[in-house]
Amino acid sequence: MDEDFVKTFRSAVGVTVTFNYDTKVLIHSRNNEVVIYEDPQSMLAFRMLYSHFCRSRKFEDFHESLCNLMKSKKIKTEDVMKLIFDDINDNFDNDGRQVILAIDELRMSKHDKTVLSQACSLISSKTFIIVTHLSRARLQELSTYSGKLRICPVYLPPLSESDIEELIKSLDEEVQKRLQEPHVKSLLIDTNGVPRLIQFVVRYMQTIKIT
């Protein structure tokens, strides 16, 4: 791997965005119907601001406070990225650091096509984009950006039983005991080695209180 690229990547500033339960899509009920009241064009921008400047608050509170200060609920992703770069340059004496925009749980945004399009529009010589949880349709659409982007899909292979055993050994003893229970081991096998399913099983077992 190119040493200059490795150096640049390691010194880059990460802006991590997720659409999971930490910053879930904001909804409300109206006439017994669930309605998304976030603007799809601003979903990514709001989370970029939240990630870089205000992670100590709940996202919903941050979103509401910011909307109350604005005339509309719309923010442009390119304006947010410029603001983030201005802040980085102020803190690192304009040393030319790049940004890694990491977007997790894209499909949970419920507007993954819009969010992905906006993310790709931000890619430049100063910005890397990493995205997880893409549908097959979104992967196919990435080819439309191939003229200006170098796209490298990374597929997570299923874990083998020995891989799962190594994972269990890395956890604390109490959790290890829970995961060694026959019914839990059977559940782990039923995941067919899918990393995300294994993660959920392990996380769930970590929350259970043994009485």
Side-chain angles (χ1 to χ4, degrees), residues 127-145:
T127 311
F128 299 103
I129 305 289
I130 300 174
V131 185
T132 71
H133 203 198
L134 285 87
S135 65
R136 188 174 297 277
R138 297 293 87 82
L139 278 171
Q140 291 173 345
E141 286 171 5
L142 279 174
S143 62
T144 62
Y145 302 101

Side-chain angles (χ1 to χ4, degrees), residues 13 15 44-46 48-49 52-53 75-91 94 97-99 101 118-119 121-124 126-127 129:
V13 176
V15 177
L44 180 59
F46 268 104
M48 288 167 62
L49 278 174
H52 189 72
F53 293 105
I75 308 177
K76 293 182 178 180
T77 50
E78 55 267 30
D79 291 341
V80 172
M81 185 59 83
K82 182 180 183 304
L83 184 62
I84 290 173
F85 268 112
D86 287 344
D87 181 65
I88 291 171
N89 289 332
D90 284 344
N91 282 281
N94 291 292
R97 290 181 188 243
Q98 298 186 344
V99 165
L101 175 59
Q118 291 182 334
S121 72
L122 295 174
I123 295 180
S124 68
K126 293 184 177 181
T127 311
I129 305 289

Side-chain angles (χ1 to χ4, degrees), residues 52-110:
H52 189 72
F53 293 105
C54 204
R55 291 296 287 268
S56 60
R57 297 182 62 187
K58 288 179 61 177
F59 175 70
E60 190 167 356
D61 294 339
F62 167 81
H63 187 278
E64 182 179 0
S65 298
L66 194 55
C67 285
N68 289 337
L69 295 173
M70 299 161 49
K71 292 182 179 179
S72 72
K73 296 180 181 179
K74 295 185 178 181
I75 308 177
K76 293 182 178 180
T77 50
E78 55 267 30
D79 291 341
V80 172
M81 185 59 83
K82 182 180 183 304
L83 184 62
I84 290 173
F85 268 112
D86 287 344
D87 181 65
I88 291 171
N89 289 332
D90 284 344
N91 282 281
F92 292 100
D93 298 323
N94 291 292
D95 65 358
R97 290 181 188 243
Q98 298 186 344
V99 165
I100 300 173
L101 175 59
I103 305 171
D104 187 30
E105 303 285 9
L106 179 67
R107 294 185 69 182
M108 292 182 73
S109 71
K110 305 182 188 302

Side-chain angles (χ1 to χ4, degrees), residues 10-201:
R10 286 179 172 173
S11 66
V13 176
V15 177
T16 56
V17 170
T18 182
F19 289 93
N20 68 13
Y21 300 103
D22 292 329
T23 59
K24 61 185 178 182
V25 175
L26 303 178
I27 61 176
H28 65 84
S29 296
R30 185 174 61 199
N31 298 327
N32 295 321
E33 181 182 358
V34 174
V35 179
I36 299 173
Y37 68 84
E38 282 193 75
D39 182 273
Q41 299 289 335
S42 300
M43 284 180 166
L44 180 59
F46 268 104
R47 285 163 176 78
M48 288 167 62
L49 278 174
Y50 173 73
S51 173
H52 189 72
F53 293 105
C54 204
R55 291 296 287 268
S56 60
R57 297 182 62 187
K58 288 179 61 177
F59 175 70
E60 190 167 356
D61 294 339
F62 167 81
H63 187 278
E64 182 179 0
S65 298
L66 194 55
C67 285
N68 289 337
L69 295 173
M70 299 161 49
K71 292 182 179 179
S72 72
K73 296 180 181 179
K74 295 185 178 181
I75 308 177
K76 293 182 178 180
T77 50
E78 55 267 30
D79 291 341
V80 172
M81 185 59 83
K82 182 180 183 304
L83 184 62
I84 290 173
F85 268 112
D86 287 344
D87 181 65
I88 291 171
N89 289 332
D90 284 344
N91 282 281
F92 292 100
D93 298 323
N94 291 292
D95 65 358
R97 290 181 188 243
Q98 298 186 344
V99 165
I100 300 173
L101 175 59
I103 305 171
D104 187 30
E105 303 285 9
L106 179 67
R107 294 185 69 182
M108 292 182 73
S109 71
K110 305 182 188 302
H111 290 281
D112 53 337
K113 184 175 183 178
T114 299
V115 174
L116 183 62
S117 175
Q118 291 182 334
C120 288
S121 72
L122 295 174
I123 295 180
S124 68
S125 59
K126 293 184 177 181
T127 311
F128 299 103
I129 305 289
I130 300 174
V131 185
T132 71
H133 203 198
L134 285 87
S135 65
R136 188 174 297 277
R138 297 293 87 82
L139 278 171
Q140 291 173 345
E141 286 171 5
L142 279 174
S143 62
T144 62
Y145 302 101
S146 60
K148 70 169 186 174
L149 308 179
R150 182 180 178 185
I151 299 168
C152 180
V154 178
Y155 299 94
L156 294 178
L159 299 180
S160 66
E161 287 192 37
S162 60
D163 291 332
I164 296 175
E165 291 288 345
E166 287 299 317
L167 174 64
I168 292 174
K169 290 178 183 178
S170 69
L171 305 171
D172 63 64
E173 291 186 8
E174 185 177 351
V175 177
Q176 285 189 45
K177 291 178 181 178
R178 297 175 185 177
L179 294 175
Q180 292 293 345
E181 293 290 330
H183 63 285
V184 180
K185 292 196 73 172
S186 176
L187 182 58
L188 285 170
I189 292 173
D190 288 342
T191 64
N192 289 319
V194 177
R196 177 66 74 181
L197 292 178
I198 294 171
Q199 179 188 26
F200 280 127
V201 171

